[in-house]
Amino acid sequence: MASIKDKLSRGLEESMSRRMEREADALAAMSDEELFSFAEYDEKESEKTGYSNYSYWGSTIRMFLKNRGAVCMLVIMLAILIFTIIQPYLPGQMDPNLVNADPERFIPLRNVPPGADFWFGTNSIGQDLWARIWTGTRTSLFIGFSVALVEAVVGITVGVLWGYMRRLDFLFTEIYNVLDNIPHTIILILIAYIMTPSVKTLIFAMSLTGWIGMARFIRNQILIIRDRDYNLASRCLGTPTYRLVMRNLLPYLVSVIMLRMALSIPAAIGSEVFITYIGLGLPATTPGLGRLIEEGRVVMMNAAQRYQLIYPTLILSIVTVSFYIIGNAFSDAADPKNHR
């Protein structure tokens, strides 16, 4: 058996060596032009090799749409937002400050329960709660969005300067230490007490120190990524500071910025509710969710009038929960680590 295997292996080796010799002789007989030739250039194929269909915002939207709960809350929030805008222009809508009275006896229709004439009932002086709740929701959302926008603009600007410019670190740190040690609630109460009660007053009072948290957070994140290799390489190549911040630093922080903005909206609405609850909020002629909840709290012990507290509280809860869920879902979706 061993001799047969040896013969077969020797035969196989001889055949392979003869084949290799024939191929070598054939290659030697060929000229250089026959051996080497230029490959044909195809522009379309070259573009395919260097093209990537990855889109940051496209991937972010696709990841967000996979979260059905967040999408559902987004639809509800958009429906509420759109309805608060178009509600005054719908037919049959009443003035939120109008005191409705019986046309025969001229007696205010106080505390009328929800029905065909007044869908959400009336309050203790006869005003239509349907109109007041949607007007108050519009006012509170306007305050929330305005405060979030101011906090984002001021907070991001200060945070980038604070974290990127080493010479400004001491100055901004001292400013932060002074302002952060003043309770936000005290500032809110003092401003609302000193200035004329209005929407602008509340926005100013909430934005006065509300940007501090955003600025501190952005500063810490900038310090972490400021000296990474790709940023150092950009500076060595002469990239302008503005372009480096806008292209290299801020896109990295999109997810956390959107999360903090989404959470600052219900926080601002909560502050409006609180400041109105203690009697320093919006004037009586400007309905807000805080004022409606305060008016409902007064009559909450009466079971027949408890609807005056339930409806505005329900709207406030939906708005707050929606922004929280949407903010967290968008933050996760905007994180490039979750993109596939």
Side-chain angles (χ1 to χ4, degrees):
M1 292 294 294
S3 60
I4 294 175
K5 291 181 179 180
D6 294 339
K7 291 179 181 180
L8 290 174
S9 60
R10 284 195 298 271
L12 181 61
E13 291 177 357
E14 291 175 357
S15 62
M16 291 181 64
S17 61
R18 287 195 296 271
R19 181 180 176 182
M20 294 177 65
E21 289 176 358
R22 289 195 299 270
E23 291 177 354
D25 294 339
L27 290 174
M30 297 175 66
S31 62
D32 292 341
E33 295 181 356
E34 294 175 335
L35 287 175
F36 303 100
S37 61
F38 289 101
E40 295 182 359
Y41 174 73
D42 189 341
E43 185 177 357
K44 293 183 178 179
E45 292 296 327
S46 64
E47 290 293 334
K48 289 181 180 180
T49 59
Y51 173 74
S52 174
N53 61 353
Y54 172 78
S55 171
Y56 173 77
W57 289 109
S59 298
T60 299
I61 294 174
R62 286 193 295 271
M63 289 298 298
F64 179 81
L65 294 178
K66 291 180 180 180
N67 192 327
R68 295 183 179 180
V71 173
C72 180
M73 299 307 293
L74 178 61
V75 172
I76 294 174
M77 194 63 245
L78 289 176
I80 292 176
L81 182 61
I82 294 172
F83 188 77
T84 57
I85 296 174
I86 67 175
Q87 182 269 332
Y89 305 101
L90 297 177
Q93 303 301 310
M94 298 183 181
D95 187 340
N97 294 318
L98 175 65
V99 176
N100 298 278
D102 189 333
E104 297 179 357
R105 297 181 296 175
F106 300 101
I107 300 175
L109 299 174
R110 299 187 180 94
N111 301 321
V112 176
D117 295 331
F118 303 101
W119 291 356
F120 282 0
T122 62
N123 60 11
S124 58
I125 62 174
Q127 295 172 325
D128 181 29
L129 278 182
W130 169 267
R132 288 183 66 79
I133 285 176
W134 292 117
T135 303
T137 303
R138 182 168 60 251
T139 303
S140 296
L141 286 175
F142 176 75
I143 293 174
F145 279 109
S146 299
V147 172
L149 182 61
V150 172
E151 289 183 4
V153 173
V154 178
I156 292 173
T157 303
V158 175
V160 169
L161 294 175
W162 189 2
Y164 194 81
M165 302 295 181
R166 290 181 172 87
R167 293 171 294 181
L168 300 177
D169 183 70
F170 176 78
L171 174 63
F172 282 118
T173 301
E174 294 302 318
I175 295 175
Y176 172 82
N177 291 334
V178 172
L179 296 180
D180 189 56
N181 284 298
I182 303 175
H184 179 70
T185 305
I186 298 298
I187 295 178
L188 192 61
I189 293 174
L190 288 176
I191 297 298
Y193 183 77
I194 295 171
M195 300 179 66
T196 303
S198 65
V199 173
K200 294 180 180 180
T201 298
L202 287 183
I203 294 175
F204 174 75
M206 295 178 194
S207 304
L208 194 60
T209 58
W211 55 269
I212 295 177
M214 175 73 82
R216 177 72 177 183
F217 183 80
I218 296 297
R219 179 253 186 187
N220 293 338
Q221 296 299 315
I222 293 294
L223 287 178
I224 294 174
I225 64 177
R226 179 184 62 188
D227 294 327
R228 289 186 175 177
D229 293 342
Y230 59 90
N231 289 322
L232 293 176
S234 296
R235 287 203 294 270
C236 292
L237 292 173
T239 303
T241 302
Y242 174 80
R243 184 179 178 85
L244 191 147
V245 170
M246 298 300 296
R247 294 295 183 91
N248 290 17
L249 300 181
L250 289 184
Y252 185 84
L253 306 175
V254 168
S255 61
V256 292
I257 290 174
M258 296 302 297
L259 174 61
R260 294 189 69 91
M261 285 187 65
L263 296 181
S264 64
I265 294 174
I269 296 175
S271 297
E272 182 263 325
V273 172
F274 164 75
I275 202 67
T276 305
Y277 182 82
I278 63 176
L280 296 175
L282 299 173
T285 56
T286 306
L289 289 178
R291 178 165 296 281
L292 293 172
I293 291 174
E294 167 60 17
E295 293 174 355
R297 182 193 64 82
V298 177
V299 298
M300 65 178 295
M301 301 308 297
N302 188 337
Q305 302 176 17
R306 203 165 291 165
Y307 63 89
Q308 299 183 29
L309 176 64
I310 293 175
Y311 290 133
T313 303
L314 182 62
I315 296 295
L316 177 63
S317 301
I318 292 174
V319 170
T320 303
V321 173
S322 296
F323 276 113
Y324 178 79
I325 294 176
I326 294 170
N328 279 280
F330 189 84
S331 176
D332 293 338
D335 190 349
K337 297 178 183 178
N338 297 327
H339 295 184
R340 297 176 182 177

